[in-house]
């Protein structure tokens, strides 16, 4: 199980400073959508420059203009970029094509994606599938439940990620149900009193 | 009928220069998603500063983190910001709340939104509803057909916009079918040999 650190709602300099404190405990570093929309591709470029050995995920949440956005992310230094599962299939197809050309990875964000749409996406076997309870669903509804996901949709070799309000407490049940290859942790690390300690604890649970 | 000029896939300085040439013929100026994702909120701020009297649309395509993204757009100078119709309803609800607080406008982008989802959105009577054939659908499938939209979904006082590959030729049939209050024009102006002339022609048709 890999830990992806999600960086959101902060300055680029804060993101770099915070990541320095926790980098030994995390595997992938996500430049959050809020950083991209606030600061543009500079956020991706500066994070890759600061952490060249890490896998950088650009959470660009593409839903159109796929070639342009994905090329922009990979040119800026991203190793993984995200596309919405609710996009038209032609958009996801274009993301896969660009990622293949750059030898990079597509993460399909399944936020609000129906079972029916998911079935259509299962042909993209090289993608990472991110089961995602959105920030707004967490904050407005208090929801952070990945328990309802039908794991049978996925083939045995497919890569699953999980995002949305994951804490040390919820990680254990998540392993028992969805058992994702990648867990995406945001505020449970970034807003912890001691982020290095919090990240180290996730690393311990993950290594169990 | 208002004309919204969509600015995409260019530098901020190019966007300003191009808009100066056509500003007399357009009503709303859209800072395209590609500008926001490439240059961040500076794109919105610089466009508002250059054209303070114009209505600036931030095509931020929010699908999560609604409060943060919408506040960011309005603080940067946007008058209108976009949210995806495929978002969870709590996200759209949050956008409406923020826009109400700032006395600004929400545009709901209906790209890939089902009829069922649209029905749920009809309660947001103050929003602008944007019927949108995506760039990827146009480029990959050659599609640019708004003809299939069921106009009966909309109440008589609701504001409809249309986007996606609209040309001078297609504008006439669009008026006869969807008859949107706002037509969003991108490359038919920005990529014209003479953008000022192209915009003026749209203005003439629009004023008919």
């Amino acid at each position: 199980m890999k830990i992806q650190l999600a960086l959101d709602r902060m300055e680029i300099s804060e993101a770099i400073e915070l990541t320095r404190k926790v980098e030994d405990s995390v595997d992938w570093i996500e430049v959050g959508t809020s950083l991209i929309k606030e600061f543009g591709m500079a956020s991706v470029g500066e994070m890759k420059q600061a952490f060249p050995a890490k896998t950088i995920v650009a959470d660009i949440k593409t839903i159109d203009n796929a070639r342009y956005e994905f090329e922009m992310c990979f040119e800026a230094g991203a190793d993984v970029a995200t596309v919405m599962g609710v996009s038209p299939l032609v958009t996801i197809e274009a993301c896969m094509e660009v990622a293949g050309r750059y030898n990079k990875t597509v993460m399909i964000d399944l936020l609000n994606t129906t079972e029916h749409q998911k079935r259509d996406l299962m042909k993209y076997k090289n993608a990472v599938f991110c089961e995602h309870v959105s920030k707004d669903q967490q904050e407005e509804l208090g929801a952070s439940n990945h328990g309802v996901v039908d794991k049978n949709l996925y083939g045995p070799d497919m890569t699953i990620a999980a995002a949305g309000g994951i804490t040390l407490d919820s990680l254990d049940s998540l392993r028992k149900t969805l058992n994702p290859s990648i867990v995406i942790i945001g505020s449970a690390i970034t807003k912890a009193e001691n982020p290095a300690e919090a990240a180290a604890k996730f690393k311990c649970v993950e290594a169990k």
Side-chain angles (χ1 to χ4, degrees), chain A residues 14 25 42 64 68 83 95 107 138 177 183 187:
Chain A
E14 285 176 84
S25 303
D64 189 15
Y68 192 91
V83 60
C95 293
M107 183 181 283
Q138 294 168 56
T177 52
V183 285
S187 55

Side-chain angles (χ1 to χ4, degrees), chain A residues 70-92:
Chain A
F70 264 50
E71 287 176 3
M72 190 165 87
C73 287
F74 296 144
E75 293 289 340
D79 303 289
V80 183
T82 62
V83 60
M84 300 312 297
V86 292
S87 307
L89 277 181
V90 283
T91 296
I92 294 165

Side-chain angles (χ1 to χ4, degrees), chain A residues 92-186:
Chain A
I92 294 165
E93 196 77 51
C95 293
M96 295 301 296
E97 186 276 319
V98 175
R101 192 151 36 83
Y102 279 80
N103 201 19
K104 304 285 185 183
T105 301
V106 174
M107 183 181 283
I108 303 179
D109 182 330
L110 299 172
L111 165 56
N112 223 28
T113 306
T114 63
E115 290 293 302
H116 181 80
Q117 286 172 314
K118 280 189 198 175
R119 282 181 210 284
D120 285 342
L121 297 171
M122 290 300 135
K123 62 179 166 181
Y124 301 114
K125 298 205 186 301
N126 295 327
V128 175
F129 289 85
C130 178
E131 293 285 352
H132 185 188
V133 180
S134 80
K135 283 185 185 64
D136 291 346
Q137 287 166 318
Q138 294 168 56
E139 291 177 357
E140 314 282 332
L141 303 176
S144 64
N145 188 3
H146 291 88
V148 293
V149 174
D150 182 3
K151 225 211 139 177
N152 297 323
L153 273 177
Y154 295 99
D157 297 331
M158 295 174 83
T159 309
I160 304 175
I166 299 170
T167 62
L168 268 175
D169 286 342
S170 65
L171 188 55
D172 230 28
S173 75
L174 191 62
R175 295 182 76 155
K176 284 176 193 148
T177 52
L178 189 61
N179 195 25
S181 308
I182 300 153
V183 285
I184 303 176
I185 316 286

Side-chain angles (χ1 to χ4, degrees), chain A residues 2-8 27-36 41 43-45 47-48 51 54-61 70 73-74 76-83 104-109 128 130 161 163 182-184:
Chain A
K2 284 193 172 68
I3 295 176
Q4 175 173 324
L5 172 70
L7 299 159
D8 263 302
D27 304 287
W28 288 13
I29 298 170
E30 173 194 316
V31 183
T33 313
S34 59
L35 263 78
I36 292 176
M41 278 300 109
S43 60
V44 177
M47 288 304 288
K48 186 63 185 180
F51 305 98
K54 291 283 188 192
T55 296
I56 300 291
V57 181
D59 190 14
I60 193 157
K61 287 191 170 51
F70 264 50
C73 287
F74 296 144
D79 303 289
V80 183
T82 62
V83 60
K104 304 285 185 183
T105 301
V106 174
M107 183 181 283
I108 303 179
D109 182 330
V128 175
C130 178
I182 300 153
V183 285
I184 303 176

